[in-house]
Amino acid sequence: MILVLGGLWIGQNINLLPVDASANAPVYDELFRVLFSIGTILFVGIVGLVVFSLVRFRRKPDQLGDGLAIEGNLPLEVFWTAVPAIVVLFVGLYSYDIYDRMGGMTPLNHGMDHGGMQHSAADHKAMEGMDESDAMAGRVWGGIGNGSAISTSAENAVAAVPIEVTAMQFAFLFRYPQGDFISGELHVPAGQPVSLRMEAKDVIHAFWVPEFRLKQDVIPGQPTVLNFTPTRPGTYPIVCAELCGPYHGGMRSSVVVEEPETYQAWFNANNKLNVADA
Amino acid sequence: MTVSLPPQSEQHTPSLQPTGWLRYFSFSVDHKVIGLQYLVCGFLFYLIGGALAGAIRTELASPMSDFMPRDVYNQVLTLHGTVMIFLWIVPVVNGAFGNYLIPFYVGARDMAYPRLNAVAFWLIPPAGLLLISSYFITGAAQSGWTAYPPLSITTPASGQMIWILSVLLLGGSSIFGGINFIATVLKLRRPGLKLMQLPMYCWAMLGTSILVVLSTPVLAGTLILLSFDIVAHTGFFNPGLGGNVVVYQHLFWFYSHPAVYIMVLPAFGLVSEILPVHCRKPLFGYATMVYSIMAIVVLGLVVWAHHMFTSGTPPWMRLFFTIATAFIAVPTGIKFFNWLATLWGGRISLNSAVLFSCGFIVNFVLGGITGVALAQVPFDVHVHDTYFVVAHFHYIVYGGTVFVIFASIYHWYPKVTGRMLNEPIGRLHFLLTFIGFNLCFAPQHWLGLNGMPRRVAEYDPQFAFINQISSVGALLMAISTLPFLWNVVASAFNGEIAGDNPWKALTPEWLTSSPPPVENWVGEAPLVEEPYGYGVPIDQIDLKATSGRDLWSSGK
Ligand code: HEM
Ligand SMILES: [Cu+2]
Ligand SMILES: [Cu+2]
């Protein structure tokens, strides 16, 4: 009992994570606290049992005999098969739910209208069949969220900011197709969904922002996506998390989360299309 | 260390094989000699791998890349992982203890294919030397022990090719060994010995060998395709030629996830042998232990994509592999609860073998808990490829398997040499290892959660302090091997004489002389139907000699 309460307390009150700066980070932290609580209870319980047994049942100098000849205990064994099974099932379903809330279960290739390829969302049924061949160039192979720049109806139809990420040894480049310019630093507006479409030039890299709790490999030949909504203005590191060569450790960049007005100002200052159009 | 064994009694019998210390350098077909060859050879590679780890931790003591050039760092990293996995853990928990113990346990005089056995061992030293020499000749591989393309295709080809060649040789050795273990356990049992009477280590080795035989060929095939991409410029995994880099990851992990069970199932088996002897109690739940080993084997084959949650994998695959992976915790948990129940109510001798076994339980439980957490996609998306994962698998591989290797050395040393190891030095070794290990790896969980990726030579200065703690832990671990080495060498000459069965154990390897004769037993092999028949039945407890609490505790 004390163990359970103690574990819950530790899980809820000890914070091992950096600040949260995206909409899914608090959701992630919720999962983390649940896992941390369960883990603490289990770990402390088992270590307690081991230490207790070693102290309580150690052989004292005058004891020559054996221990008890207990070879098994069916109810007990059923108990410790069933309880972990239920716990992992619960954890699995719960994390599925979390993942769904992060947008991870969105089908990847529905309603692609990215990079100039215009497909109507209505015929995505037909598209699924063609994924392999026809839509090769626009196909998204993995990631979180779908390849669509326009969020689907469920997300109150706010337009996501599309950004094309290119990773190469040993840097990230961010291209803003709406303004046709390239930046070495990722700027995003707080409170607005962002959709990264990522591809690597040479070897596999990974795009990781610890404060967003998000990571996605950037793979040569296989575009991936990462959708998220930044929440907390600030500057956070972008870290490459996949071994990509000698300077892998130095392959870093930053993401600047700004108030929408500041972002807009930055965007306008860089916008090339506007200049050309005007 | 074992080269200095006291002279053997079998020297009167004429033999075609060299006798005395020379046989340890020969193509011996004696399973006991081969077992020790594996152990000593593996330990030498462990020292090399340890030195490489020392170099890594020295580099990481400061946030700058200042100790060695960056490409050398990647070579050191790759060599460290490859040496530790393929030249230390796998050969020792499988080859060394498997060869030494399995024939005893099944009541045989040798393995099923003694010559194949010797071939399997003698593939290892050349493969290992080849791997290490690549560093001096052309520069070693730089793409990590996982060798993901396209990195492995674009880094210098010679080092990568030597890496592939030596891993292929080591994989071959492992397959030969696996076939031999399966044949020995299934076909060489002494008449009258039933499968469900075998000591647990036999079951563990049977399960492990099934995994070896099913999955290692896949690794071999994959590496051959990779080598074609490198030397013949084929395009299997080269995106520039229309290849698919993620396919390599699927194939690689189809082997390498089972490989983690190849490294840990035998350790489970060894612990199951050690604990009952020193607790003077039967192994709790024999049958469920056997079933859980088999469940781990089956599940272990269908969880590989949990290493690829951030690669190009579709959502349904992420979901399936989460559930499958998390469920491995159930049979694994059963084994741990069974060991705890074996401790409960025992008469435990707190010697080094038991301490290392309990250290294993504690460390592995933590590694298992982080494993189940990593199996949850959303959790893994944050910490994949960070120091959190490094901490997880070192808790499993070092805190688990290496602790068991030490426990086993303390347990079987008297059998092999006829002399006891020094207990106080053994406990000192345990204490230093346990503290050093936890100091080194526990802080790495935090590093990973807070933004330090793995396989980097330089990092954000905010992590410097925690990395220095970790490096101090590593230094402690390095120091802890000194008392061990001293103990093993000194005790071989003037350790206390052990006698044939110092632990009063019931398994067949103890029912012969120490060290055992070439034919394992003089005369017929004993039939051990109850390898764990220790303990007093509850109804025969001498009531006067036990306290009320003893009775109460037996009610559990
Ligand atoms: C309770 C059982 C276990 C579970 C649920 C589990 C789960 C996982 C998961 C999900 C990962 C991938 C993490 C990532 O890269 O993001 C992982 C990595 C790893 N695990 Fe475990 N694991 C378990 C036990 C083991 C065992 C028994 C071993 C070895 C003896 C092991 C060794 C490893 C290794 C070596 C890696 C890292 C591989 C690499 O990327 O280089 N794990 N584990
Ligand atoms: Cu990188
Ligand atoms: Cu795995």
Side-chain angles (χ1 to χ4, degrees), chain B residues 47-59 76 80 84 394 441 474:
Chain B
L47 294 179
I48 296 175
L52 293 164
I56 294 176
R57 283 310 328 166
T58 312
E59 173 68 76
V76 167
H80 164 75
M84 288 301 197
H394 282 92
F441 292 108

Side-chain angles (χ1 to χ4, degrees), chain A residues 120-207:
Chain A
S120 91
D123 65 12
H124 68 247
K125 270 275 179 334
M127 259 188 53
E128 264 173 355
M130 326 185 311
D131 257 3
E132 307 299 325
S133 48
D134 178 55
M136 201 64 173
R139 173 170 176 189
V140 171
W141 294 70
I144 292 182
N146 61 16
S148 158
I150 312 294
S151 306
T152 36
S153 52
E155 291 172 45
N156 10 316
V158 188
V161 182
I163 300 170
E164 291 164 15
V165 181
T166 306
M168 63 188 74
Q169 284 169 329
F170 296 90
F172 292 102
L173 288 182
F174 305 97
R175 197 180 96 86
Y176 289 73
Q178 288 168 335
D180 192 26
F181 64 88
I182 292 176
S183 160
E185 206 177 45
L186 180 61
H187 285 248
V188 289
Q192 213 172 317
V194 177
S195 177
L196 304 183
R197 184 188 173 83
M198 311 197 282
E199 195 168 354
K201 280 275 166 272
D202 34 42
V203 301
I204 307 176
H205 304 268
F207 174 97

Side-chain angles (χ1 to χ4, degrees), chain B residues 130-212:
Chain B
L130 186 67
L131 181 70
I132 308 235
S133 65
S134 72
Y135 175 83
F136 298 101
I137 301 170
T138 61
Q142 301 183 18
S143 52
W145 82 281
T146 48
Y148 278 8
L151 185 62
S152 50
I153 301 177
T154 53
T155 43
S158 46
Q160 196 65 51
M161 284 305 296
I162 297 181
W163 181 87
I164 292 177
L165 194 64
S166 77
V167 172
L168 284 178
L169 287 174
L170 296 168
S173 157
S174 168
I175 295 174
F176 293 159
I179 293 172
N180 219 340
F181 289 127
I182 295 178
T184 309
V185 171
L186 293 183
K187 290 291 167 211
L188 245 57
R189 263 170 298 130
R190 172 194 195 294
L193 187 62
K194 298 195 196 65
L195 273 177
M196 289 305 265
Q197 295 170 339
L198 287 173
M200 195 53 62
Y201 183 61
C202 293
W203 282 104
M205 282 308 296
L206 187 63
T208 307
S209 303
I210 293 173
L211 284 177
V212 167

Side-chain angles (χ1 to χ4, degrees), chain B residues 417-455:
Chain B
T417 62
R419 289 177 187 271
M420 306 295 284
L421 282 170
N422 180 307
E423 256 310 306
I425 302 185
R427 287 181 204 179
L428 174 72
H429 173 214
F430 169 75
L431 202 68
L432 286 177
T433 314
F434 190 77
I435 295 174
F437 167 76
N438 281 290
L439 203 59
C440 181
F441 292 108
Q444 295 183 355
H445 291 112
W446 183 88
L447 286 175
L449 286 169
N450 283 275
M452 180 162 165
R454 65 190 279 206
R455 294 171 165 170

Side-chain angles (χ1 to χ4, degrees), chain A residues 170 172 203-206 239-245 247-249 251, chain B residues 456:
Chain A
F170 296 90
F172 292 102
V203 301
I204 307 176
H205 304 268
V239 183
C240 174
E242 180 70 53
L243 179 63
C244 56
Y247 288 86
H248 167 52
M251 182 166 164
Chain B
V456 292

Side-chain angles (χ1 to χ4, degrees), chain A residues 16-18 28 31-32 35 39 42-43 46-47 49-50 52-54 56-59 63 65-73 77 80-81 84-85 88-89 91-92 95-96 98-99 102 104-106 108 141-144 169 202-204 208 210 213-217 219-220 222 239-250 252, chain B residues 70 74 142-144 148-151 154 239 244-246 249 280-285 288 310-313 315 318-319 326-327 330 334 337-338 340-341 344-350 358 362 365-366 369 376-379 381-386 446 448-456 458 460 534-537 541 549-550 554 556:
Chain A
L16 296 176
L17 292 161
Y28 174 93
L31 171 71
F32 183 84
L35 291 175
L42 209 72
F43 183 67
I46 289 185
V47 172
L49 266 178
V50 170
F52 178 82
S53 306
L54 287 186
R56 170 77 181 74
F57 301 115
R58 73 180 185 282
R59 172 182 298 278
Q63 290 175 327
D66 276 7
L68 301 170
I70 316 167
E71 293 192 351
N73 181 332
E77 287 168 64
W80 65 47
T81 310
V88 296
L89 199 65
V91 169
S95 78
Y96 165 77
I98 296 274
Y99 193 50
M102 287 166 58
M105 295 309 290
T106 334
L108 286 172
W141 294 70
I144 292 182
Q169 284 169 329
D202 34 42
V203 301
I204 307 176
W208 179 32
R213 319 280 192 267
L214 283 177
K215 179 184 296 110
Q216 174 59 46
D217 285 6
I219 306 170
Q222 300 190 8
V239 183
C240 174
E242 180 70 53
L243 179 63
C244 56
Y247 288 86
H248 167 52
R252 304 166 67 88
Chain B
R70 291 177 174 81
N74 285 355
Q142 301 183 18
S143 52
Y148 278 8
L151 185 62
T154 53
N244 185 327
V245 294
V246 176
Q249 299 181 12
R280 312 309 303 168
K281 275 191 64 195
L283 182 65
F284 192 93
T288 48
T310 70
S311 308
T313 37
R318 295 177 171 189
L319 183 64
F327 261 94
V330 176
I334 293 175
F337 291 122
N338 281 342
L340 291 177
W344 190 270
R347 287 262 189 277
I348 308 170
S349 315
L350 284 183
C358 291
V362 170
V365 165
L366 188 54
I369 290 171
Q376 314 305 320
V377 186
F379 187 93
V381 163
H382 177 46
V383 294
H384 169 66
D385 262 331
T386 69
W446 183 88
L449 286 169
N450 283 275
M452 180 162 165
R454 65 190 279 206
R455 294 171 165 170
V456 292
E458 56 209 302
D460 189 336
Y534 309 102
V536 224
I541 289 186
R549 291 193 55 192
D550 267 330
S554 66
K556 198 191 168 187

Side-chain angles (χ1 to χ4, degrees), chain B residues 75-107:
Chain B
Q75 296 180 22
V76 167
L77 187 94
T78 305
L79 283 180
H80 164 75
T82 314
V83 166
M84 288 301 197
I85 291 173
F86 293 109
L87 289 162
W88 157 239
I89 306 250
V90 172
V92 169
V93 280
N94 291 273
F97 295 108
N99 275 302
Y100 202 94
L101 296 174
I102 295 286
F104 280 112
Y105 284 169
V106 299

